[in-house]
Amino acid sequence: MLNTLVRKYCFTVLGLGLSFYSVLAQTLFHESRIKPRYENLVAIEETPQENFNEELDLSEADDLEIIDDLDEDEFGTEEERTFFSAFMENARFSLKHEFGYGFQAPQKIVSNRSSLRLEWESDFSENLLFFFDGKGSIHHSNDHLTKAQNHSPEAYGTSNLRELYLQGSYGDWSFKVGRQIVIWGESENSVLNEVSPQDQSEVYFTSLEDSRIGQNLIRINYFSSQWDWDMFVNPDSQTNKLPEEHTEYYIPLPENDTDYDVHETMPFQTEVGFHVKRNVESGDFAFYAAKLNENQPFYQQKSEQIGNKTILEKTYPNYQMFGMSGNLNFGNTLLKTELAHKSKKWFAAKHSTDVVFKKNTIDMALDLEYQFNDHANIYAGVSDQHILGWEEGIQESEDSVKYFLGGNQSIYNQTLDLDYILNYDHQNASAVYRLSIKNKIMDDLNLDVSTVYFDPTDLQKGSGMYFQNKSRITANLTYYF
């Protein structure tokens, strides 16, 4: 049964690709637009000069004008052809089909979707560049996101505008204005990468790159002989996208509880950040400073009520962060370190009637990677959030420690990659195993098969509360053109 379904959806995405090319060809390069031009060239070449005007009847000026008009209508103007050629030269399309199957009871199809992504950049002038990165997706009828819709459609469409900006360069300066993704930090479990929010609707099944959400901001870079300076101003602070109600990975929120009346206050404070980096012979190091808003919501109970409902205020508190990071190479070994001090972080109380706690934290991350050769490596790391001045009434532990262990092996002339990673949350006693096989079928065609398995020790906290039966296998077939 599963093999039949897999074959069915592989043929589906192949059909989508062929359909796309067919429509594109019919729209832009219809055969009738090409063939007549070559026929005319042959006719002209074979027709004697003395009978040329008689046979083609082109002696009248009006006829020549008509032919010119037909030529322009058939082939488009030179400017139009040049624009399309330039567009395709700078464009990269990714046509992908994803099929996900939950192999723990109840076994079922979880994801079944097709998407087309466009990445395009163009130099408007010597010092001005335009960049676009967007994706449109169709979730088919048995995709869990489609099933969650009230009207249960046959298909459900979504779009994601990741980045859209203009970049100007003047000497050692660079300026970006528009929708952008800001990536900070170096480690696998980075404690600095908190600028760009994430799409957590399928948190364990989406790559970090695909989960990042763009924000409308201004970014300024300066490149000196020794230091790289980077500053951003973000008046359009966004927040994490959480799983929607009735979807496969929904986590209950207070606003969906009839006992609460939730009042949401979006983050209005402008975010600002500064980052400076220097490369040295054995690696690099960097310093960070930022004023940010929380990407996750925080709920605070109010003293008043509306009828029998308790009022909760949903906010995204702001905080300050100062940090540093470094990469150091020792032969085949790479060491990544991060350290951050965060002030005025909010923490929930164990009892909802208690006031919130505002504490400072010291966060750290340490990764170690060893490369055996060009085709194999292993890596391990640890991260921790330590709450300064921790009190018994705080819901979180004084230390939140997470570990990870993994490895990568490339075989068959680097056309097949095997990746394995284990993430372990010490406080919640839960482990998540990931195994991925990436096969480069052709230069432009990749198959990625991955599995995520949840192994919680305590089913009353952490991922064990919501993901103990959500393990799944996912196949992605991607064609680049």
Side-chain angles (χ1 to χ4, degrees):
M1 176 66 178
L2 179 57
N3 291 334
T4 303
L5 288 172
V6 171
R7 287 196 299 269
K8 174 182 176 182
Y9 293 112
C10 286
F11 283 120
T12 299
V13 70
L14 180 60
L16 283 172
L18 293 175
S19 300
F20 176 84
Y21 277 119
S22 177
V23 172
L24 187 64
Q26 292 176 13
T27 304
L28 299 173
F29 299 108
H30 196 278
E31 288 183 0
S32 63
R33 299 183 179 182
I34 302 300
K35 190 173 181 180
R37 172 164 288 190
Y38 289 106
E39 290 177 348
N40 289 342
L41 287 175
V42 173
I44 292 172
E45 186 176 22
E46 295 178 351
T47 303
Q49 182 64 33
E50 59 270 21
N51 298 327
F52 182 78
N53 288 339
E54 181 180 351
E55 294 203 17
L56 295 181
D57 196 20
L58 300 179
S59 58
E60 297 294 331
D62 290 342
D63 292 334
L64 288 173
E65 291 178 2
I66 292 173
I67 295 299
D68 289 341
D69 291 341
L70 287 174
D71 183 74
E72 183 169 307
D73 291 339
E74 282 291 309
F75 307 111
T77 64
E78 183 67 28
E79 290 79 2
E80 290 173 346
R81 295 194 297 272
T82 302
F83 173 79
F84 178 77
S85 299
F87 175 83
M88 294 302 295
E89 182 180 352
N90 297 317
R92 187 196 192 205
F93 292 91
S94 307
L95 182 64
K96 181 169 74 172
H97 189 83
E98 175 186 309
F99 181 81
Y101 185 79
F103 56 82
Q104 290 183 308
Q107 298 177 355
K108 59 183 176 181
I109 296 173
V110 181
S111 67
N112 180 20
R113 63 195 63 164
S114 307
S115 65
L116 180 64
R117 178 179 177 182
L118 169 61
E119 300 168 84
W120 183 69
E121 68 176 26
S122 177
D123 294 320
F124 286 168
S125 67
E126 183 179 354
N127 299 318
L128 186 61
L129 177 142
F130 173 81
F131 181 78
F132 172 90
D133 184 0
K135 182 174 73 172
S137 302
I138 297 178
H139 305 263
H140 303 291
S141 58
N142 48 2
D143 191 289
H144 76 102
L145 294 180
T146 305
K147 292 179 179 179
Q149 306 307 305
N150 293 330
H151 52 288
S152 298
E154 288 298 318
Y156 172 58
T158 60
S159 61
N160 178 21
L161 178 58
R162 289 170 49 84
E163 294 191 282
L164 177 67
Y165 62 78
L166 284 171
Q167 177 178 340
S169 300
Y170 304 94
D172 296 329
W173 293 87
S174 174
F175 307 87
K176 289 183 182 179
V177 179
R179 192 172 184 86
Q180 305 168 58
I181 293 175
V182 179
I183 302 174
W184 277 9
E186 306 288 347
S187 302
E188 177 75 19
N189 293 327
S190 176
V191 298
L192 297 168
N193 190 24
E194 298 186 357
V195 180
S196 292
Q198 297 180 22
D199 183 351
Q200 298 182 343
S201 56
E202 295 177 309
V203 58
Y204 289 103
F205 308 98
T206 305
S207 68
L208 182 59
E209 178 190 0
D210 291 338
S211 70
R212 293 189 174 107
I213 298 175
Q215 302 175 100
N216 299 315
L217 52 87
I218 300 171
R219 196 169 181 182
I220 303 173
N221 295 90
Y222 175 72
F223 304 97
S224 67
S225 59
Q226 295 181 330
W227 297 87
D228 295 340
W229 306 77
D230 182 7
M231 184 184 77
F232 73 86
V233 179
N234 178 22
D236 179 41
S237 180
Q238 300 294 310
T239 60
N240 289 343
K241 181 181 178 182
L242 303 178
E244 297 180 5
E245 192 175 10
H246 305 304
T247 60
E248 184 71 12
Y249 309 109
Y250 171 70
I251 297 176
L253 298 173
E255 47 259 55
N256 301 119
D257 191 328
T258 56
D259 292 333
Y260 296 108
D261 187 6
V262 179
H263 298 170
E264 184 175 19
T265 303
M266 295 301 292
F268 292 111
Q269 294 202 23
T270 297
E271 294 184 329
V272 294
F274 176 77
H275 162 223
V276 57
K277 180 178 180 179
R278 179 172 180 176
N279 294 311
V280 294
E281 183 177 354
S282 58
D284 60 70
F285 59 92
F287 300 95
Y288 305 79
K291 182 179 181 181
L292 305 171
N293 299 311
E294 290 280 5
N295 291 323
Q296 287 286 103
F298 187 90
Y299 297 89
Q300 184 177 9
Q301 183 172 322
K302 310 298 288 186
S303 57
E304 61 270 20
Q305 289 188 326
I306 298 180
N308 295 326
K309 293 186 175 182
T310 301
I311 298 178
L312 294 180
E313 183 180 10
K314 181 181 179 180
T315 60
Y316 301 85
N318 61 79
Y319 65 98
Q320 292 78 43
M321 178 177 70
F322 298 93
M324 61 182 298
S325 68
N327 291 322
L328 296 175
N329 288 292
F330 304 97
N332 294 335
T333 304
L334 174 63
L335 178 66
K336 302 178 181 179
T337 60
E338 292 183 6
L339 183 65
H341 178 271
K342 302 172 184 177
S343 58
K344 300 182 179 179
K345 294 275 288 184
W346 286 29
F347 294 94
K350 291 181 179 178
H351 305 288
S352 59
T353 55
D354 294 342
V355 297
V356 299
F357 294 87
K358 298 181 181 180
K359 298 291 184 178
N360 299 340
T361 68
I362 295 290
D363 298 357
M364 60 78 63
L366 179 66
D367 295 5
L368 191 64
E369 180 178 340
Y370 181 78
Q371 187 171 9
F372 293 100
N373 48 53
D374 293 338
H375 310 298
N377 61 6
I378 59 171
Y379 42 84
V382 59
S383 64
D384 177 39
Q385 174 190 264
H386 177 75
I387 302 176
L388 300 174
W390 181 82
E391 300 179 38
E392 287 289 343
I394 298 177
Q395 192 175 62
E396 290 192 34
S397 302
E398 183 176 8
D399 286 281
S400 299
V401 182
K402 297 178 180 179
Y403 304 94
F404 76 89
L405 174 68
N408 172 272
Q409 174 72 52
S410 180
I411 56 178
Y412 295 121
N413 296 321
Q414 299 184 357
T415 61
L416 188 66
D417 288 337
L418 307 177
D419 288 284
Y420 169 80
I421 187 169
L422 161 66
N423 293 95
Y424 183 75
D425 185 337
H426 179 71
Q427 273 59 46
N428 294 315
S430 62
V432 181
Y433 302 88
R434 292 180 175 88
L435 177 63
S436 175
I437 303 174
K438 300 178 181 179
N439 183 20
K440 188 175 183 180
I441 302 174
M442 299 186 304
D443 287 343
D444 299 320
L445 183 62
N446 292 346
L447 176 63
D448 183 354
V449 180
S450 61
T451 182
V452 178
Y453 179 75
F454 299 96
D455 184 22
T457 303
D458 190 342
L459 300 181
Q460 302 303 315
K461 59 183 180 179
S463 63
M465 296 179 63
Y466 309 106
F467 294 95
Q468 66 265 32
N469 295 318
K470 303 296 184 181
S471 302
R472 89 180 200 194
I473 184 171
T474 305
N476 286 287
L477 185 65
T478 308
Y479 180 64
Y480 302 95
F481 58 98

